[in-house]
Amino acid sequence: MFKDTKAFSGFSVDDIEKAAQFYGETLGLEITRKEMGVTLLGIKIAGNENNIMVYPKPNHEPATYTILNFPVDDVEKAVDALAAKGVQFEHYDYDQLKTDAKGIARGNGGPVIAWFKDPAGNILSVLGDK
């Protein structure tokens, strides 16, 4: 029934204007605005036929998991570029997950990855082979 549908994802934020600035200016993504009783943002990411929908929610609670993963050629360069724009990276020190001083996890049995949050507290990542 759904194998040919063009599904899309969405998530909530507590401040749509801060989200538009962050995703559009800080991350450099193409943002569209739609009015449907409230302002909705569409985030276009290369290679995706459908936009990711971002919607305001008065009782928003940040996702406790990674909502968007951005594959990059070089995680360290991406972390440095985002940090220069004021993005702060998460730091973890668990048995199975440790990040370095920049917030990059390496050699934990998975990809090289670094997590950060949007202004609404939702978790995002950049990940790659190096």
Side-chain angles (χ1 to χ4, degrees):
M1 172 180 0
F2 296 116
K3 75 176 193 152
D4 294 322
T5 189
K6 295 186 180 189
F8 63 94
S9 182
F11 57 89
S12 71
V13 296
D14 55 356
D15 185 322
I16 203 76
E17 292 306 318
K18 283 183 182 177
Q21 185 278 328
F22 179 78
Y23 287 97
E25 295 175 28
T26 304
L27 298 188
L29 300 172
E30 183 179 329
I31 301 295
T32 57
R33 292 174 185 261
K34 295 183 180 181
E35 294 298 325
M36 297 179 70
V38 295
T39 301
L40 302 178
L41 300 180
I43 299 176
K44 183 175 179 82
I45 297 179
N48 290 356
E49 291 185 31
N50 294 319
N51 289 345
I52 297 166
M53 184 176 67
V54 180
Y55 54 92
K57 187 176 176 194
N59 61 344
H60 166 77
E61 291 189 29
T64 58
Y65 51 87
T66 309
I67 62 164
L68 284 175
N69 295 287
F70 295 98
V72 295
D73 292 329
D74 188 318
V75 172
E76 187 144 2
K77 284 183 182 178
V79 166
D80 290 344
L82 289 170
K85 292 182 175 190
V87 173
Q88 295 182 1
F89 284 83
E90 299 298 299
H91 293 272
Y92 301 106
D93 188 12
Y94 305 119
D95 288 340
Q96 299 296 317
L97 176 62
K98 295 187 185 302
T99 54
D100 63 18
K102 288 186 175 186
I104 302 172
R106 310 167 199 264
N108 293 319
V112 176
I113 187 167
W115 292 271
F116 59 101
K117 293 181 179 178
D118 72 4
N122 295 311
I123 303 168
L124 315 171
S125 83
V126 288
L127 71 146
D129 295 329
K130 51 179 170 170

